[in-house]
Amino acid sequence: MALDVLIRAGRAVVDGRETAALVGVRDGRIALVETAPDLDALASGGEHLEADTVVELGPDEVLLPGLVDSHVHVNEPGRTEWEGFASATKAAAAGGVTTIIDMPLNSIPPTVTVAALEEKRAVARDQAFVDVGFWGGAVPGNVDDFAPLHSEGVFGFKCFLLHSGVDEFPHLEPDELELAMRETARLGALMIVHAEDGHAIDHAASPDGEEYTGFLHSRPRGAENLAIAQVIELARWTRARAHVLHLSSSDALPMIRSARADGVSLTVETCPHYLTFTAEEIPDGATQFKCCPPIRESENRELLWAGLADGSIDIVVTDHSPCTEDLKAFDSGDFGVAWGGIAGLQLGLAATWSGARRRGHSLVDVVRWMSEGPARQAGLATKGGIVVGHDADFAVFAPDDAFVVDVAKLHHKNPVSAYAGHALTGAVRQTWLHGIRLETDDDAQPQGRLLRRGEA
């Protein structure tokens, strides 16, 4: 068998277990996977293989399938000073992420029409260092745009149940959400929901001021729980597929489990920052930690980890939502004024692994949450696993490498991150896309492709 690349790994995550593996690549796809308890058992098996390039991983390295991050705000066009496709996809590649799916906001225009989708594809096409897909948006009055967007390959539709933070992407009221979900049910499309109830938040405390506890009280768990209950019931009535974005309230886990037991088609994600940080440790004025829904208490964090362990939470994605430094209002430290969002695309794997290993989880679990699960949720049939026929997308991960986050070394466009100065464990040493090792230096050439639902 003639191969383009042959990777010899003493440790690899394949088919739900960690094992030694020979992985062969031809024409950008995985053409061969042989596994054994150790490399010695594979040595003779690899001698008959011819490859243009042979890659030998070190004993401290693990071959993972490339990660899939289905919750990324790139912001280009329109707010490219916040983040752009070149900077975001370089950050993804540096973090072992080989596929992202871009959110329909905060770009201008938002991805709520086919024309807007084509505009976004046009600017992304020659800048993508990893593969890129797109979500469509669900806003008041655009239900008739769902079918054309679906036909054009968006991976589903995102909506808000309260002000989104940008005026050009308005939220849906309950009757509008029901109408939208009936249409996604008809199309067989996925509705992904920012689930916080706007009316509940309108009656909550003001977020103004430097105290993090004040901001936390302005986005209560009850608002999140109420919105998730609404999504569950509408999914039940309409038989639509629904996905809850960035779960931060562990209170919602029992109703999520109950809904699934009833047959409601519901998936749930959380994010590395909810699994890493706690409200108790956030200093007043530290607006780099502001996100919506908010980072909650330590007990809540542990219950989210328990929800991952028991399968109530399906996937972990970053909700990479960057902005320029001035929008974080560091001069005043006012949580009511600062932009809400955490830039974490490059650090999601290390942050999640750092917390997972302390709680007895394995890299097999992390791959399930950050590669297999997101690929399955988005319908990416050739992503998410080291499987013959899949895209040859890999991350070479050193799980014992410890480092302190230096924002100057991140590829995000703006040097703002809640992870700055935070100690993490696990470093990505190589990232491969379609059998090509990615580079992220100034001379690197983009290798990514634009994806359409049903074609990847």
Side-chain angles (χ1 to χ4, degrees), residues 381-395:
T382 62
K383 306 286 188 182
I386 299 177
V387 178
V388 171
H390 276 38
D391 291 344
D393 300 347
F394 311 112

Side-chain angles (χ1 to χ4, degrees), residues 144-398:
D144 289 345
D145 291 292
F146 285 15
L149 282 164
H150 186 70
S151 295
E152 278 298 310
V154 298
F155 284 82
F157 297 88
K158 179 180 184 177
C159 71
F160 279 74
L161 304 185
L162 78 171
H163 194 282
S164 69
V166 292
D167 292 337
E168 69 273 4
F169 197 93
H171 68 280
L172 300 181
E173 293 294 344
D175 58 335
E176 295 169 325
L177 177 61
E178 180 176 353
L179 182 65
M181 290 180 72
R182 291 195 182 280
E183 178 66 359
T184 57
R186 185 186 73 82
L187 294 170
L190 180 66
M191 176 64 78
I192 64 176
V193 185
H194 182 123
E196 289 181 285
D197 184 82
H199 300 293
I201 288 177
D202 287 344
H203 290 86
S206 168
D208 298 332
E210 297 181 31
E211 293 186 3
Y212 185 76
T213 53
F215 170 64
L216 187 61
H217 291 152
S218 77
R219 314 289 291 215
R221 296 188 195 199
E224 200 174 348
N225 303 336
L226 184 60
I228 291 170
Q230 180 184 25
V231 171
I232 287 171
E233 293 313 304
L234 282 173
R236 192 191 310 273
W237 302 343
T238 63
R239 300 186 181 276
R241 297 165 54 220
H243 177 75
V244 173
L245 297 165
H246 45 49
L247 179 72
S248 83
S249 172
S250 62
D251 294 349
L253 291 170
M255 72 171 117
I256 290 166
R257 289 190 283 265
S258 176
R260 287 174 170 169
D262 289 345
V264 176
S265 180
L266 182 72
T267 52
V268 180
E269 70 183 45
T270 194
C271 305
H273 44 272
Y274 300 128
L275 300 169
T276 301
F277 305 115
T278 65
E280 294 92 335
E281 67 184 355
I282 297 176
D284 290 343
T287 53
Q288 65 269 31
F289 291 95
K290 180 180 177 180
C291 57
C292 300
I295 295 164
R296 303 193 189 276
E297 302 83 358
S298 58
E299 181 182 6
N300 181 84
R301 177 185 66 181
E302 297 313 308
L303 289 170
L304 292 178
W305 277 106
L308 276 170
D310 69 19
S312 301
I313 300 172
D314 301 274
I315 63 176
V316 179
V317 290
T318 63
D319 187 12
H320 177 71
S321 185
C323 66
T324 54
E325 197 166 358
D326 60 299
L327 291 177
K328 278 296 186 180
F330 290 130
D331 55 343
S332 67
D334 190 335
F335 280 93
V337 174
W339 172 259
I342 289 179
L345 179 57
Q346 187 170 333
L347 300 169
L349 174 57
T352 303
W353 170 239
S354 296
R357 70 185 299 174
R358 286 197 297 271
R359 293 165 178 84
H361 296 292
S362 69
L363 282 171
V364 172
D365 297 320
V366 172
V367 165
R368 184 172 68 253
W369 301 330
M370 304 190 77
S371 186
E372 294 171 7
R376 182 172 56 251
Q377 182 234 16
L380 291 163
T382 62
K383 306 286 188 182
I386 299 177
V387 178
V388 171
H390 276 38
D391 291 344
D393 300 347
F394 311 112
V396 177
F397 189 59

Side-chain angles (χ1 to χ4, degrees), residues 87-121:
S87 53
T89 55
K90 275 191 177 183
V97 177
T98 51
T99 303
I100 67 169
I101 306 184
D102 174 61
M103 285 290 162
L105 73 163
N106 300 302
S107 57
I108 301 174
T111 317
V112 296
T113 64
V114 169
L117 173 65
E118 289 306 318
E119 187 171 345
K120 185 170 281 195
R121 282 176 169 160

